[in-house]
């Protein structure tokens, strides 16, 4: 039990009725981590309602196995700070936040018709107060970067959870018809999908014709595996269209595209030639070294042959000397000479 103290966080939304997109509060601290509040002025999943969600900020920075159990409530205030509405049923809910579920809230927080009543949005301003009481903090282990977690049936790295979760939030049916069953194969395909999304987020001018062709082939492979990627195909088509525009707006004509493509091919060939020359130089060095070694071996063989010849001659001479030493010659010193 690290922190049982309740934290109250209040933020104001000016010109509330002029807004339609998601409104995100600044971060605040409670229970050993940061939080923020997402407010949807026109509802999230439920039309004609105010939707609010309490979210853990930067969950990827927390320790592996992190968990926060918290009691939360939402209060609407008027401009003078008076409580006008408190949202919870049957007492404040106690929710568990973790890597798989980093946010809790109310999609049907309040009907917009009710919100328009006098006092709720005085001066076109909505004041939201969130109360958080963290009652349990769990941190099981440090992140090594190799741990995986299940996100909609795909095992992904802990650091990739946010990106994969976003994909499924924006495109819930993206993997409904995914064919492979092997977890390893599913992981590989998910990585390919993330790489392709990241690639297509680059400016259109950064794409060459070859890069666009490769991206289209990757998209076809992912689609054959069962991913539903109509939205990604539309993005790729938009990039291709942007690349074909020119003449007056700074883009390339068809002739310009052909010239650029040829220039890219020439650059690739020049790079290949450069690499081949490096390999050739390396082989030449190796060849010279081999020739040097072969000459050294030849010299050593000649010297060895000479040494063997010297050794044989020495043995013969020593044998002759020994044979003369053992012969019994008569002593002629005392014989008279006739």
């Amino acid at each position: 039990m690290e922190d049982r103290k309740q934290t109250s966080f209040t933020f104001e939304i000016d010109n509330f009725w002029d807004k339609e997109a998601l409104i995100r509060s600044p971060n605040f601290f409670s229970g050993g981590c940061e939080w923020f509040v997402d407010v949807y002025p026109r509802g999230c999943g439920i039309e004609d309602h105010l939707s609010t969600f309490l979210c853990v900020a930067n969950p990827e920075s927390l320790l592996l196995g992190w968990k926060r159990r918290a009691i939360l409530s939402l209060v609407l205030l008027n401009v003078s700070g008076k409580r006008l509405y408190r949202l919870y049923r049957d007492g404040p809910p106690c929710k568990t936040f973790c890597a798989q579920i980093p946010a809790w809230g109310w999609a049907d927080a309040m009907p917009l018709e009710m919100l328009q009543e006098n006092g709720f949005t005085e001066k076109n301003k909505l004041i939201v107060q969130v109360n958080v009481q963290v009652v349990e903090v769990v941190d099981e282990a440090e992140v090594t970067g190799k741990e995986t977690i299940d996100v909609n049936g795909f095992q992904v790295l802990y650091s990739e959870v946010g990106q994969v979760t976003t994909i499924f939030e924006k495109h819930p049916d993206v993997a409904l018809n995914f064919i492979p069953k092997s977890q390893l194969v599913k992981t590989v395909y998910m990585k390919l999908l993330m790489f392709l999304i990241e690639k297509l987020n680059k400016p259109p001018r950064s794409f060459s014709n070859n890069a666009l062709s490769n991206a289209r082939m990757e998209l076809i492979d992912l689609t054959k595996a069962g991913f539903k990627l109509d939205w990604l195909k539309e993005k790729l088509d938009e990039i291709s269209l942007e690349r074909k525009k020119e003449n007056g707006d700074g883009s390339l004509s068809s002739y310009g595209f052909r010239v650029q493509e040829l220039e890219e091919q020439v650059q690739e060939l020049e790079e290949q030639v450069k690499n081949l020359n490096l390999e050739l130089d390396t082989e030449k060095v190796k060849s010279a070294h081999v020739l040097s070694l072969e000459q050294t071996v030849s010299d050593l063989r000649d010297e060895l042959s000479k040494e063997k010849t010297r050794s044989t001659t020495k043995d013969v001479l020593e044998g002759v000397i020994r044979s003369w030493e053992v012969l019994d010659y008569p002593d002629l010193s005392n014989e008279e000479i006739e």
Side-chain angles (χ1 to χ4, degrees):
M1 301 288 184
E2 183 175 297
D3 187 359
R4 283 185 173 275
K5 184 178 179 181
Q6 177 174 288
T7 299
S8 293
F9 174 74
T10 303
F11 74 104
E12 301 179 358
I13 304 174
D14 294 320
N15 303 315
F16 175 78
W17 292 109
D18 300 329
K19 301 181 183 297
E20 295 184 0
L22 164 68
I23 303 168
R24 177 160 294 177
S25 77
N27 291 357
F28 64 95
F29 191 83
S30 179
C33 67
E34 289 186 299
W35 308 75
F36 63 84
V37 178
D38 276 348
V39 176
Y40 294 83
R42 298 296 181 267
C44 178
I46 299 180
E47 295 181 356
D48 300 325
H49 277 72
L50 174 73
S51 300
T52 61
F53 298 90
L54 176 65
C55 313
V56 176
N58 304 315
E60 66 277 0
S61 66
L62 299 176
L63 297 179
L64 178 65
W66 70 270
K67 182 171 65 175
R68 301 290 188 274
R69 291 186 63 247
I71 299 172
L72 56 146
S73 64
L74 178 120
V75 179
L76 300 182
L77 309 174
N78 64 12
V79 292
S80 62
K82 180 181 178 181
R83 292 184 177 181
L84 300 176
Y85 186 78
R86 173 174 293 189
L87 179 63
Y88 54 75
R89 303 174 182 85
D90 302 324
C94 186
K95 297 296 184 180
T96 299
F97 297 78
C98 59
Q100 296 93 329
I101 310 175
W104 279 100
W106 299 269
D108 57 347
M110 177 182 288
L112 294 180
E113 183 178 353
M114 180 179 177
L115 193 62
Q116 288 178 324
E117 294 180 1
N118 292 334
F120 280 104
T121 53
E122 186 179 353
K123 298 181 180 179
N124 199 12
K125 176 182 292 189
L126 181 67
I127 303 176
V128 180
Q129 180 185 82
V130 177
N131 300 311
V132 182
Q133 182 181 3
V134 177
V135 297
E136 183 181 7
V137 176
V138 176
D139 293 311
E140 294 182 354
E142 293 186 358
V143 177
T144 66
K146 297 181 179 179
E147 296 83 5
T148 61
I149 193 170
D150 184 277
V151 179
N152 288 62
F154 290 81
Q155 289 292 325
V156 299
L157 291 176
Y158 201 78
S159 59
E160 298 170 340
V161 170
Q163 185 179 357
V164 176
T165 300
T166 300
I167 293 174
F168 281 101
E169 286 177 350
K170 293 183 177 180
H171 312 283
D173 59 347
V174 65
L176 286 180
N177 300 319
F178 193 75
I179 299 172
K181 303 301 180 183
S182 166
Q183 195 57 248
L184 178 60
V185 175
K186 293 175 71 174
T187 298
V188 171
Y189 270 102
M190 180 55 69
K191 285 186 178 294
L192 292 175
L193 177 58
M194 289 189 291
F195 289 151
L196 183 57
I197 292 173
E198 182 178 357
K199 183 187 298 183
L200 296 184
N201 282 332
K202 296 179 180 179
R205 289 183 178 274
S206 66
F207 286 85
S208 66
N209 285 352
N210 288 338
L212 283 174
S213 178
N214 291 337
R216 199 167 294 280
M217 291 301 299
E218 292 170 7
L219 180 61
I220 292 174
D221 289 340
L222 291 168
T223 303
K224 287 181 178 179
F227 280 125
K228 187 176 181 181
L229 301 174
D230 295 343
W231 49 278
L232 206 55
K233 182 180 181 299
E234 291 178 3
K235 187 173 184 65
L236 181 56
D237 291 341
E238 290 175 1
I239 294 174
S240 298
L241 183 60
E242 286 294 324
R243 290 285 287 118
K244 291 179 181 178
K245 291 180 180 179
E246 235 300 87
N247 298 337
D249 61 357
S251 57
L252 296 173
S253 63
S254 58
Y255 174 76
F257 272 114
R258 180 57 181 164
V259 170
Q260 182 179 7
E261 186 175 8
L262 290 173
E263 288 177 346
E264 292 170 355
Q265 293 177 4
V266 168
Q267 290 178 356
E268 291 178 0
L269 290 173
E270 287 177 344
E271 187 65 25
Q272 292 177 15
V273 170
K274 180 181 177 181
N275 293 333
L276 288 173
N277 285 332
L278 289 175
E279 292 180 8
L280 180 59
D281 291 341
T282 302
E283 290 299 324
K284 287 180 179 178
V285 172
K286 291 180 179 178
S287 177
H289 184 57
V290 169
L291 290 174
S292 177
L293 288 176
E294 289 178 347
Q295 184 62 45
T296 302
V297 170
S298 177
D299 293 342
L300 289 174
R301 285 176 176 170
D302 291 342
E303 187 174 346
L304 178 60
S305 177
K306 292 176 181 179
E307 286 297 326
K308 287 182 176 180
T309 301
R310 293 193 192 101
S311 177
T312 303
T313 303
K314 181 181 178 182
D315 291 341
V316 171
L317 291 174
E318 288 178 348
V320 171
I321 292 171
R322 284 196 297 270
S323 65
W324 279 94
E325 288 176 349
V326 298
L327 291 176
D328 186 16
Y329 292 99
D331 187 4
L332 302 177
S333 60
N334 296 323
E335 292 186 3
E336 296 182 358
I337 303 175
E338 298 181 355

